[in-house]
Amino acid sequence: MQIILKLTTACNLNCVYCSEGDLPAETLLQEIFFKLVDELPALLDNFGQRDAEFLFHGGEPMLYGQQNLRTLIDYARENLDGYDLRFLMQTNGTLIDDAWINFFRDEKISVGVSLDGYPELHDKNRRTKSNEPTAEKILSNLRKMRDAGLSVGTLMVFNSAATVDAEKLFDFIQANELHPKIHSVVPCGRAADVKNSAEIYDAWVALMKKLFELSLARESSKVIEPLDELVDAILGISPLRECSFNGTCGKNFVSVYPDGEVGFCGRDNLARCLTYGNLREKTLLELYTSTNAEKIRARQDYLQTHDCKNCSDWQLCHGGCAFEAVNFSGTLEAKYPHCSARKNFLSWLHGDGLKLLKTALVREKKRLRQSIRVKKQLRDEIENLGVDDACPL
């Protein structure tokens, strides 16, 4: 189970689509976290789970401070002995320095950095409060982390209905050794006034198709999500992990906001579309099994008998993101707001996408056969050499 901890609503940036909007600065109290940890075994044991991920989120979680974070981590490790724990952080990446790099390494924290593609794209959306660009600073910090031996994922929010230079983006991913996850913008928080989210999602689909084509044409091994997960799921290689596709909303995630409220999604700190209650007043297990929590988990059962009934793409979509459904329509009973475009994308992956993959695999097979033939020929030539020919004096 993943516990999303909204450590603070404070941030040093002024991103145009921030889901936190302009909330006043608020920080998660340590006693709320301690209570969460004390009650987590009851929740995990009730569902037969032994794994727990703590995702440090914000605002900007690094503003919480290293010492405060270490206190949380130490308490979790001391009081959850026997459970498999992982610690993750999603950060804007601007505050990373040598001390933070050592902290991440010492505490074994997996880090994700928000980076919206090449600088011209990124700096349109992710600037400081004094309107300064941030791309080059983040790229420099990513290089420092990589040089220190840390593996870092990146999260890109796609926020443009205009055509994006897919080849430039792909080259940027390659050159900077990135492992990006690319999402379309959600019109909430500061992006609440976005009226063309459908056009943006259509542009996202077009971009995903082009990136898939480029990755196969250039025989790239770079992972670009959700492309790789979707293809692996279609081929039956591995199940989907991305929550907006795999139907685990309200099941494998719990989000704790700075004031102790508990909900189903980290995006919902501002809107509070559907929270479970406050950890100061109820136990974690009571909140997880609350009426509102059950409503979240019942959403898929409803969709399978209504809007999504007999949908051929159900196993790759599961009705889409619950938060986006509530955010767009005001009700959990709505299907994914970009259903038609998503079906178009999944249909393309099943059809043209798999054809492209097959062509690429055949090409790779021919290349490997040729390589084997060349190696065999060299081996035969060496074996046929006489001793005097092979080792001339």
Side-chain angles (χ1 to χ4, degrees), residues 35 83 184 199 202 225 244 284 307 322 358 372 380 382 386:
K35 186 174 186 289
Y83 293 88
S184 182
E199 290 81 1
D202 288 340
E225 301 295 4
S244 64
L284 184 61
D307 286 351
K358 181 179 179 180
I372 292 171
D380 292 344
I382 291 172

Side-chain angles (χ1 to χ4, degrees), residues 30-230:
Q30 289 182 356
E31 51 261 38
I32 292 177
F33 179 82
F34 295 162
K35 186 174 186 289
L36 168 75
V37 169
D38 293 344
E39 295 174 357
L40 189 56
L43 176 61
L44 296 176
D45 294 349
N46 189 69
F47 295 98
Q49 297 189 29
R50 306 299 298 176
D51 300 337
E53 286 187 348
F54 292 94
L55 172 59
F56 302 126
H57 212 285
E60 172 47 53
M62 290 175 65
L63 293 175
Y64 194 72
Q66 290 180 25
Q67 188 53 54
N68 288 333
L69 273 171
R70 186 174 283 112
T71 298
L72 303 190
I73 293 170
D74 288 347
Y75 190 87
R77 286 179 173 147
E78 290 169 5
N79 291 275
L80 293 172
D81 186 42
Y83 293 88
D84 296 322
L85 305 183
R86 290 189 65 214
F87 298 93
L88 306 89
M89 178 183 286
Q90 184 63 38
T91 171
N92 63 42
T94 60
L95 302 177
I96 294 169
D97 56 17
D98 291 342
W100 273 106
I101 289 173
N102 292 334
F103 180 81
F104 294 145
R105 185 168 49 210
D106 294 345
E107 299 296 342
K108 298 180 175 59
I109 298 175
S110 300
V111 182
V113 173
S114 296
L115 180 66
D116 287 356
Y118 50 84
E120 297 95 309
L121 277 180
H122 175 96
D123 288 331
K124 287 180 180 178
N125 298 311
R126 304 186 64 82
R127 303 178 77 86
T128 67
K129 293 184 182 300
S130 57
N131 202 34
E132 296 297 319
T134 60
E136 293 302 335
K137 176 66 174 176
I138 295 168
L139 285 169
S140 175
N141 289 340
L142 284 172
R143 286 190 285 270
K144 289 179 183 178
M145 296 178 76
R146 187 168 60 242
D147 291 344
L150 297 178
S151 178
V152 186
T154 54
L155 175 64
M156 174 183 174
V157 176
F158 184 76
N159 188 27
S160 174
T163 301
V164 168
D165 190 334
E167 293 202 18
K168 184 174 182 177
L169 178 59
F170 186 84
D171 291 342
F172 176 80
I173 291 169
Q174 293 279 94
N176 290 282
E177 300 181 32
L178 304 179
H179 305 281
K181 178 183 291 186
I182 306 175
H183 287 171
S184 182
V185 70
V186 177
C188 64
R190 291 201 194 110
D193 292 333
V194 170
K195 304 300 183 185
N196 63 336
S197 60
E199 290 81 1
I200 292 174
Y201 195 87
D202 288 340
W204 176 85
V205 169
L207 177 65
M208 290 296 99
K209 291 178 180 179
K210 185 62 178 178
L211 289 176
F212 186 74
E213 293 171 354
L214 288 169
S215 66
L216 293 177
R218 301 188 187 182
E219 300 180 354
S220 170
S221 61
K222 291 300 177 187
V223 174
I224 300 175
E225 301 295 4
L227 281 172
D228 288 71
E229 279 193 21
L230 286 168

